[in-house]
Amino acid sequence: MRVGILTFHRAHNYGAVLQCYALQQYLISRGDDAYVIDYNNRDLWSYYHWRERGYEKYVTSNLIKFPYRLLQYLHAKKNHIIRYYKFIYFQKKYLRLAPVNSIQTTPYDLILIGSDQVWNTSITHGFDKYYWGQFERPSSTKVATYAASLMKLWDEKDYNIVYNYLSKLDGISVREKSTKFFLNKTFTNLNISYVPDPVLLIPANHWKKMAKKPTIKSPYYFFYQAAKSEKVYSTAKIIAKQRRANLITLSADVKAINTVECHTSSPQEFLGWILYADMVITSSFHALIFSILFNKDFYAINLNMGQDDRLKNLLTMFGVEDRLIDDETQCKCLIKKDNSVIVKQLLNNANDYLSYLIKL
């Protein structure tokens, strides 16, 4: 079966590109001819591009501090460019890209929208028709979501738009139980499935082989933040200091706090920082998933920004809710758990959902 994937593969975000790769590889392992449809939401893409202008305004806004800020800017820009092209390399090497017009020129049997926050209208700057299945295609092409997610619920005034789009899909699956509960309650006649993030569909050993080992020799704690938060960063520093550990910091935003050794990290290096860490401290959904898959000691820190449901859902799924903390005072003795049974059940959920789509 020829399957197309519509997701945030162009976002230079570690979780975004790795979950895209995971879904592609999972489909291929099932015997499907899977491709990532190279659709580009310009608003999303421009946020990550090294030519973005936001930081330049900061540099020129204060003439007294201009020389210092200029040096900061040049250093950040150099690192931004290096990281940017590492992501380009990953996309070209690991993703089977197909042009957008392949939807019509070489029709797909099935197009899967997701995973990641494809329903987050803040990220996509409104309702992007491609992430809601509103595009021309042959009548034989089925369109469904796979583990779609969002940061916060839509405004009630948009419910009619959402229902109109969802009701036209051949299948709907979401990544969080809270989203499934909301959709079932709000749109009672829609059939909603609950499936795991694609990263969990790939064996841990596969990810370990992709991971690039850090060059630093000393033990370290790894802190990763997707959304910048001084409170979360401060908590991570205190935890590392209490344990007299070297803290390595990586941020999705290249202008935020990044340790020199990992500032320009590729997706493979991101995996390596997690795999070889003594402990992982994060507020990121995908950093948590890899910590669980690699059986690492970790703490998830509440952001209290509307994203914590995703973290709570994931940690509850694996029975490690005590790893979610607000600050360093809540740290407890960590007990590792065997997650193999849970991962197997999640794989069954994914297989059942895709089998359902095939039979339609």
Side-chain angles (χ1 to χ4, degrees):
M1 183 166 67
R2 184 181 178 88
V3 183
I5 300 167
L6 276 168
T7 187
F8 293 161
H9 72 286
R10 278 179 174 258
H12 289 198
N13 173 287
Y14 299 104
V17 297
L18 291 171
Q19 65 81 21
C20 176
Y21 167 78
L23 183 55
Q24 172 192 275
Q25 293 306 111
Y26 170 67
L27 292 168
I28 291 173
S29 73
R30 286 170 48 92
D32 296 315
D33 191 20
Y35 293 87
V36 178
I37 299 172
D38 195 17
Y39 169 65
N40 184 16
N41 178 294
R42 302 294 294 187
D43 292 311
L44 174 64
W45 172 78
S46 63
Y47 175 80
Y48 294 98
H49 198 282
W50 64 268
R51 291 194 185 97
E52 58 87 19
R53 303 291 182 181
Y55 199 55
E56 294 175 12
K57 293 179 181 178
Y58 163 77
V59 174
T60 57
S61 65
N62 188 313
L63 292 177
I64 296 175
K65 296 182 179 180
F66 175 77
Y68 172 71
R69 288 182 174 181
L70 179 61
L71 289 175
Q72 277 188 318
Y73 167 78
L74 292 174
H75 179 69
K77 186 63 70 175
K78 180 195 73 172
N79 289 325
H80 196 166
I81 292 171
I82 294 172
R83 190 194 290 191
Y84 179 86
Y85 282 102
K86 283 184 177 180
F87 270 87
I88 295 294
Y89 175 78
F90 179 91
Q91 291 160 354
K92 290 183 176 179
K93 180 177 180 180
Y94 290 102
L95 302 182
R96 303 178 73 203
L97 298 176
V100 175
N101 65 3
S102 65
I103 296 174
Q104 290 84 34
T105 58
T106 50
Y108 296 89
D109 299 297
L110 172 65
I111 293 177
L112 291 175
I113 301 170
S115 180
D116 220 340
Q117 295 182 50
V118 290
W119 286 347
N120 186 339
T121 54
S122 296
I123 292 177
T124 58
H125 292 253
F127 289 91
D128 185 313
K129 65 179 183 178
Y130 277 93
Y131 298 127
W132 293 88
Q134 302 303 300
F135 46 82
E136 291 186 9
R137 60 187 185 274
S139 59
S140 60
T141 301
K142 301 171 187 174
V143 179
T145 65
Y146 181 85
S149 182
L150 66 161
M151 184 182 296
K152 60 181 180 180
L153 300 178
W154 310 282
D155 291 335
E156 193 169 343
K157 64 181 177 61
D158 292 327
Y159 284 4
N160 287 337
I161 298 174
V162 172
Y163 177 76
N164 182 51
Y165 289 159
L166 295 184
S167 62
K168 294 177 181 178
L169 295 174
D170 295 293
I172 306 169
S173 68
V174 297
R175 193 179 66 183
E176 277 79 46
K177 285 186 176 179
S178 56
T179 306
K180 173 178 166 59
F181 176 79
F182 164 75
L183 291 176
N184 282 334
K185 181 180 179 181
T186 308
F187 311 118
T188 55
N189 63 328
L190 294 181
N191 182 26
I192 313 296
S193 298
Y194 167 61
V195 295
D197 186 274
V199 165
L200 290 165
L201 306 179
I202 303 297
N205 284 338
H206 183 104
W207 293 119
K208 289 178 180 179
K209 289 178 182 178
M210 285 185 67
K212 185 175 181 180
K213 188 174 182 179
T215 56
I216 63 171
K217 304 298 182 181
S218 58
Y220 64 90
Y221 282 16
F222 178 60
F223 170 63
Y224 175 69
Q225 56 179 351
K228 184 179 177 180
S229 168
E230 292 297 333
K231 175 183 176 297
V232 171
Y233 176 56
S234 176
T235 299
K237 286 196 297 182
I238 293 172
I239 293 173
K241 185 177 181 180
Q242 288 175 343
R243 292 161 174 76
R244 298 178 182 177
N246 178 30
L247 186 67
I248 297 291
T249 299
L250 178 63
S251 300
D253 185 348
V254 294
K255 300 185 293 294
I257 300 166
N258 288 275
T259 304
V260 173
E261 290 88 347
C262 67
H263 203 154
T264 61
S265 293
S266 66
Q268 302 95 312
E269 290 168 326
F270 168 76
L271 291 172
W273 287 114
I274 295 174
L275 178 60
Y276 294 98
D278 284 355
M279 175 177 283
V280 177
I281 306 169
T282 188
S283 56
S284 158
F285 178 83
H286 283 104
L288 281 186
I289 289 184
F290 286 114
S291 298
I292 291 170
L293 283 176
F294 295 159
N295 201 23
K296 307 300 298 184
D297 284 336
F298 69 88
Y299 281 114
I301 306 179
N302 268 318
L303 273 171
N304 296 316
M305 292 171 57
Q307 301 181 53
D308 297 332
D309 277 351
R310 297 184 297 144
L311 307 186
K312 292 173 184 175
N313 179 80
L314 178 64
L315 296 173
T316 300
M317 186 192 307
F318 286 93
V320 287
E321 302 94 320
D322 58 336
R323 307 291 182 93
L324 185 63
I325 61 173
D326 292 305
D327 55 53
E328 69 282 354
T329 65
Q330 297 174 332
C331 294
K332 300 177 181 178
C333 179
L334 302 178
I335 301 175
K336 293 186 178 181
K337 297 185 178 182
D338 182 7
N339 60 42
S340 59
V341 174
I342 299 170
V343 171
K344 185 177 180 180
Q345 180 57 54
L346 294 173
L347 278 168
N348 290 337
N349 290 353
N351 282 321
D352 289 345
Y353 175 65
L354 290 173
S355 297
Y356 158 76
L357 293 177
I358 292 169
K359 293 175 182 177
L360 287 175

